[in-house]
Amino acid sequence: MTLDKDLSSIQEMRDAVEKANKAQLEFMQFSQWKIDSIVKAIATAAFHQSKELAQLAVEETGMGVAEHKLLKNQVGSRDVYESIKDEKTIGIIHEDKENKVTEIAYPYGVVAAIIPTTNPTSTAMFKTLTALKSGNAIVVSPHPRAKKCTVETLKVCMQAALEEGAPEGLIGWISEPSMEATNQLMTHPDVNLILSTGGGGLVKAAYSSGKPAYGVGPGNVPVYIEKSANVEKSVQMVVDSKTFDHGTICATEQAIVVDQAIHEQVKKELQKNGSYFCNREEKKKMEQVISIGPGKVNPDIVGKSALKIAELAGLDVPSDTRLLIAEEDQVGKNIPFSLEKLAPVFALYTAQNSNDAKERCLELLNLGGRGHSFSIHTEDDHLVREFGKAMPVSRVLVNTLSSIGAVGATTALAPSMTLGCGAYGGNISSDNITARHLYNVKRIAYGVKEAEIPQPGKNDAKVESNKQVESLMKDAVEKSGAAAEGIDKTKIEQLVKQVLKEYQNQS
């Protein structure tokens, strides 16, 4: 009997989890050295296949730029490995001999990983490396429109792992993914942790699964070009960042906010770098292509080139156009240019001053990017700190390309393809998720401090006794005052209080 697609997908998922669970029980007995050798082999193999996998991703998804996906694959393999290779993740990871506390790491078990269509191969590399580094097995659910390139990436990783001595089934996947299979994967009793990178619905499902989960929110990243910035350099970085892989990284800038004092200079530099400014009529045509409903971006523009999007909108633009821009003065679900657009399409806002710019950036983040990232170009470090405190984000990128700076390519942030949004975005972590988030820590703690435990009722009896003594002493004072002429009653009271205090201390 032939199973239908959904049933086949669910059965494949169950088989993968069963194998992963069995493999992980064996894998968690491996030494740190052995696990590290397997992780290194995977990173090396993935890095060497980065170019082929990048091309495969573009061919299958129709999104992005092969040369840019190559760079993302290199970050997801080599850079991620370099950032985690020396970390202790197995057994005793720290000993505080002075305070007599020993920390022991232990893995979650089987990690369910959800992979997006925008960054399919690099995310698969990253999640595999970090999961195995922490002693876990992994089962991956690819995006249906990126299943071939994602599975091919996992096959490269699995083959390298097997050749280094990893147990069969340690890296598993669903080759024909379905929404039902993905949902059941997240609630499977043998799955212990979820790493979800994808749309809002999947992230909510991950957090509703009853499992520990790392999910990420959307990024509607504003970039503020402040009047003290090096305009020529800043604009070049912003354009390079926004057009990187046709805007498919969630940390990519989505709207430019520029000071009025440098507005014309910024506009000229944008045009010099291949940006096309839409007139009023062209803007209306673009709005119809960008959004298919309030707050909803047209998936047909995601990861497409500026020329392709202009064609969809019926615009006649120069052949060297890299970026489509429209000047905007409103923010909202019904304002298409203000939404998160994973494509080379920009809104340009003009601010009167830094306070005006701050309010505009907050509007954009509150529309759909809370918790993710904010970008600023300025030479004023005081302003950086001011905006850093004010913005409801987890990353503030300064004078760099936000898209790849947030994932650690141009900054010292942990290389990661899963960027936590913290409490601002309803996520459990605000970190760039990496290996240290994928293991637990138990602690052995010796007693190093003494504690005197009060006996029940003893204090109550002491208080009652003191009250009785105090009453008797007051009575004695009154009698002595009545019996003795010329004696200072105040002095007697002071003497009585002193005696009572000494009695209480002795008790």
Side-chain angles (χ1 to χ4, degrees):
M1 182 179 72
T2 303
L3 295 175
D4 68 25
K5 183 179 177 181
D6 279 351
L7 291 176
S8 177
S9 180
I10 291 169
Q11 189 58 53
E12 184 183 22
M13 176 275 295
R14 290 173 178 169
D15 292 342
V17 172
E18 183 180 357
K19 291 177 182 178
N21 187 42
K22 182 179 178 180
Q24 195 273 331
L25 293 176
E26 179 183 347
F27 187 60
M28 69 184 294
Q29 304 303 320
F30 286 16
S31 67
Q32 181 80 72
W33 177 86
K34 184 61 177 173
I35 287 178
D36 286 351
S37 70
I38 292 171
V39 170
K40 182 178 181 180
I42 293 171
T44 301
F47 180 78
H48 286 159
Q49 293 296 314
S50 288
K51 184 176 181 180
E52 291 78 7
L53 293 170
Q55 291 171 336
L56 184 59
V58 172
E59 290 169 7
E60 182 180 7
T61 66
M63 296 180 182
V65 180
E67 291 81 1
H68 296 173
K69 289 195 183 294
L70 167 61
L71 178 57
K72 289 199 286 189
N73 286 343
Q74 291 172 339
V75 171
S77 55
R78 177 194 58 200
D79 291 8
V80 168
Y81 171 72
E82 289 295 326
S83 72
I84 65 176
K85 66 178 182 179
D86 296 324
E87 186 171 354
K88 289 183 179 181
T89 57
I90 304 299
I92 295 175
I93 59 174
H94 180 69
E95 286 187 271
D96 184 343
K97 293 183 178 180
E98 181 180 352
N99 292 304
K100 302 186 76 173
V101 175
T102 300
E103 295 182 343
I104 302 173
Y106 65 99
Y108 276 89
V110 177
V111 175
I114 316 302
I115 308 294
T117 184
T118 48
N119 308 299
T121 53
S122 55
T123 304
M125 295 173 185
F126 151 73
K127 291 189 176 182
T128 299
L129 288 171
T130 52
L132 268 60
K133 170 68 176 179
S134 303
N136 303 290
I138 187 169
V139 176
V140 173
S141 177
H143 192 284
R145 294 202 302 270
K147 60 187 179 183
K148 291 180 181 178
C149 61
T150 302
V151 170
E152 187 59 36
T153 301
L154 296 168
K155 286 179 178 178
V156 169
C157 295
M158 188 63 206
Q159 185 59 39
L162 291 173
E163 291 176 0
E164 198 62 27
E168 184 79 41
L170 190 66
I171 303 169
W173 55 82
I174 309 172
S175 60
E176 293 293 336
S178 68
M179 183 60 73
E180 183 59 30
T182 300
N183 286 332
Q184 288 197 27
L185 171 65
M186 291 191 288
T187 58
H188 194 290
D190 288 332
V191 165
N192 308 103
L193 178 70
I194 300 169
L195 274 177
S196 181
T197 308
L202 273 176
V203 173
K204 288 180 181 178
Y207 278 120
S208 302
S209 67
K211 309 280 187 181
Y214 289 109
V216 297
N220 195 28
V221 182
V223 53
Y224 175 34
I225 303 179
E226 192 263 338
K227 62 181 180 295
S228 69
N230 181 328
V231 173
E232 182 179 357
K233 186 176 181 180
S234 296
V235 169
Q236 181 180 346
M237 284 193 285
V238 169
V239 173
D240 286 346
S241 181
K242 180 61 174 173
T243 58
F244 182 82
D245 204 30
H246 293 336
T248 54
I249 296 180
C250 54
T252 300
E253 300 91 337
Q254 299 298 329
I256 303 174
V257 179
V258 60
D259 278 344
Q260 176 68 54
I262 57 172
H263 172 269
E264 290 304 315
Q265 187 182 358
V266 167
K267 190 171 180 178
K268 288 179 182 178
E269 289 298 326
L270 285 167
Q271 291 169 328
K272 280 173 56 178
N273 281 272
S275 299
Y276 179 83
F277 278 80
C278 301
N279 61 33
R280 184 175 297 180
E281 292 303 315
E282 291 171 331
K283 181 184 177 185
K284 290 180 180 179
K285 292 180 180 179
M286 280 291 297
E287 288 172 339
Q288 294 174 357
V289 169
I290 292 171
S291 180
I292 55 176
K296 296 180 180 179
V297 171
N298 181 2
D300 290 341
I301 71 168
V302 175
K304 298 301 192 295
S305 69
L307 292 175
K308 178 63 177 177
I309 297 171
E311 181 183 337
L312 290 173
L315 271 59
D316 184 16
V317 301
S319 60
D320 61 350
T321 298
R322 302 171 61 196
L323 190 57
L324 300 168
I325 302 178
E327 300 213 40
E328 186 58 83
D329 58 8
Q330 297 181 70
V331 174
K333 290 184 177 181
N334 292 310
I335 311 299
F337 273 91
S338 69
L339 302 174
E340 180 193 27
K341 308 161 293 297
L342 297 178
V345 178
F346 248 148
L348 177 65
Y349 294 89
T350 302
Q352 298 303 312
N353 50 48
S354 62
N355 286 331
D356 188 26
K358 187 187 300 180
E359 292 304 313
R360 181 64 76 191
C361 291
L362 286 170
E363 278 187 277
L364 290 161
L365 288 167
N366 288 332
L367 176 64
R370 285 179 64 86
H372 206 290
S373 304
F374 166 73
S375 178
I376 183 170
H377 290 262
T378 181
E379 296 302 314
D380 186 341
D381 287 338
H382 175 75
L383 199 70
V384 169
R385 292 179 181 272
E386 179 185 329
F387 271 71
K389 292 177 181 178
M391 295 297 110
V393 297
S394 302
R395 280 155 294 275
V396 175
L397 292 312
V398 184
N399 297 335
T400 190
L401 294 78
S402 180
S403 58
I404 58 176
V407 303
T410 63
T411 66
L413 296 177
S416 176
M417 295 296 169
T418 299
L419 310 181
C421 296
Y424 290 127
N427 295 174
I428 194 63
S429 175
S430 59
D431 293 343
N432 282 18
I433 305 302
T434 185
R436 68 175 176 271
H437 298 91
L438 306 186
Y439 61 82
N440 296 285
V441 179
K442 66 177 76 174
R443 292 168 178 84
I444 300 172
Y446 286 77
V448 294
K449 295 178 281 189
E450 297 296 331
E452 188 174 331
I453 309 300
Q455 294 300 312
K458 185 176 179 180
N459 286 344
D460 293 341
K462 181 177 176 180
V463 169
E464 186 61 33
S465 175
N466 288 344
K467 286 181 177 179
Q468 292 174 358
V469 171
E470 185 175 358
S471 178
L472 290 171
M473 296 296 279
K474 284 183 177 180
D475 195 36
V477 169
E478 293 298 327
K479 290 179 180 179
S480 63
E485 288 291 334
I487 297 179
D488 190 339
K489 187 177 178 180
T490 302
K491 288 184 178 180
I492 294 176
E493 288 179 347
Q494 291 175 346
L495 180 61
V496 168
K497 287 180 181 179
Q498 183 178 349
V499 172
L500 178 60
K501 183 177 180 181
E502 290 175 358
Y503 170 78
Q504 290 172 332
N505 290 337
Q506 290 171 2
S507 299

